[in-house]
Amino acid sequence: MAMPFARRDIEAAGAGAGAGSDDSPAAKKGKPELPGARPALTRSEAFAFAAVLALFTAGIFCVFLTAPRREFGQILRLPRSLADVRLLKDNLAVYARDYQANFILGYCSIYIFMQTFMIPGTIFMSLLAGALFGVIKGGILVVFTATAGASSCYFVSKLIGRPLVSWLWPEKLRYFQSEIAKRKEKLLNYMLFLRITPTLPNTFINMASPIVDIPFHIFFAATLVGLIPASYITVKAGRALGDLKSVRELYDFKTLVVLFLIGSVAVAPTILKRKRTYE
């Protein structure tokens, strides 16, 4: 769910990016690529991306090598629907109990890999964690893997993500830059609000944060804390997987209102400070 924003905000952000000396190195670094421009990676960036991809692939492969051979057909399946999650729950319940360390290692590797490289389906992985491990243990597992995956995506994007993000989300990136510039003093509060509420997609936040110069410690803290409410909702739904008919049921109107109320607590200090300043 993307945040609606006015055209004037986009134009103001674009005008701010163009102010000053456009030819300076700092200005070039701060500006996103032209909208619609194809992402162009340098040879070193492409090599780094390939090295990271190969490292993740090798790690996951090594995990699967340690798993019992009879379980291969059940493990080598990424959930793409609720039906897949239900099937995996039935097939992996015994394996997750008898080989818990192996299963958790494989689960974490796959989840982090998917989030690092923006592969859809992590919400189904979260449902599976709830179905297999319960609310508390499954919630801890999901928050850990989601934070690790987001952090990994942050560093990959810092290395090679600028042309890709500028190509995929040019207007959203300009808006994000302008909002971050206005909230430098209370950046953690703003990032918590974004993480708790479905204002901006998490994939975009992971990729765009290093490009707009959000410090990693703020990104990490906001991610670790801000993902707890949504993870709890998803993991709890995994416990009642048989009653869930659609993923859309996870975020109905009531749930969205609760998330925005929680998120408003995070930005309350910023609002109160502005009010005192104006007074």
Side-chain angles (χ1 to χ4, degrees):
M1 176 178 175
M3 172 185 281
F5 48 86
R7 180 176 297 274
R8 63 175 179 273
D9 293 329
I10 305 174
E11 293 171 351
S21 177
D22 291 340
D23 296 330
S24 65
K28 289 180 179 179
K29 181 180 178 181
K31 290 194 303 182
E33 305 293 325
L34 291 176
R38 293 279 178 176
L41 300 181
T42 65
R43 184 175 298 180
S44 59
E45 288 174 339
F47 177 78
F49 179 81
V52 172
L53 180 61
L55 183 64
F56 270 103
T57 304
I60 293 174
F61 182 71
C62 290
V63 170
F64 285 135
L65 283 181
T66 64
R69 296 296 185 269
R70 62 186 177 84
E71 307 290 350
F72 267 18
Q74 298 172 3
I75 296 175
L76 294 175
R77 177 195 296 270
L78 290 179
R80 297 296 184 186
S81 64
L82 289 176
D84 287 343
V85 178
R86 294 187 183 100
L87 183 63
L88 282 171
K89 176 193 173 184
D90 295 338
N91 291 338
L92 292 177
V94 176
Y95 175 77
R97 184 192 64 208
D98 296 344
Y99 303 92
Q100 190 169 106
N102 278 22
F103 178 82
I104 290 178
L105 183 59
Y107 177 93
C108 292
S109 300
I110 294 173
Y111 198 115
I112 294 171
F113 178 83
M114 292 175 68
Q115 198 156 30
T116 299
F117 297 102
M118 301 185 295
I119 300 173
T122 53
I123 189 170
F124 297 116
M125 295 288 287
S126 299
L127 287 169
L128 181 62
L132 293 175
F133 296 110
V135 176
I136 297 177
K137 192 173 181 179
I140 294 173
L141 183 62
V142 168
V143 171
F144 168 78
T145 50
T147 303
S151 301
S152 178
C153 186
Y154 175 99
F155 285 112
V156 169
S157 181
K158 187 172 185 178
L159 185 66
I160 62 172
R162 180 178 293 274
L164 182 61
V165 176
S166 300
W167 178 52
L168 290 175
W169 304 290
E171 294 184 352
K172 204 172 288 185
L173 180 59
R174 283 195 291 268
Y175 172 78
F176 195 35
Q177 283 179 315
S178 66
E179 291 298 303
I180 294 300
K182 291 186 292 187
R183 293 171 168 83
K184 284 293 184 182
E185 294 183 2
K186 294 291 183 180
L187 190 54
L188 179 59
N189 300 78
Y190 180 60
M191 289 298 294
L192 275 171
F193 174 79
L194 292 182
R195 282 304 196 189
I196 294 171
T197 64
T199 303
L200 287 173
N202 279 323
T203 299
F204 171 78
I205 296 174
N206 297 342
M207 292 288 291
S209 290
I211 296 173
V212 298
D213 298 324
I214 294 175
F216 177 70
H217 68 278
I218 290 179
F219 175 88
F220 180 84
T223 301
L224 183 63
V225 177
L227 290 181
I228 292 175
S231 298
Y232 172 78
I233 291 171
T234 308
V235 170
K236 187 178 179 182
R239 294 296 295 167
L241 198 59
D243 300 329
L244 192 63
K245 298 179 181 179
S246 170
V247 175
R248 294 181 180 180
E249 293 181 13
L250 293 174
Y251 297 99
D252 55 13
F253 180 76
K254 182 180 178 180
T255 303
L256 292 177
V257 170
V258 171
L259 289 177
F260 272 100
L261 286 175
I262 297 173
S264 65
V265 175
V267 295
T270 305
I271 298 173
L272 291 175
K273 183 178 179 181
R274 286 183 179 179
K275 184 178 179 181
R276 292 194 194 102
T277 302
Y278 291 140
E279 290 176 350

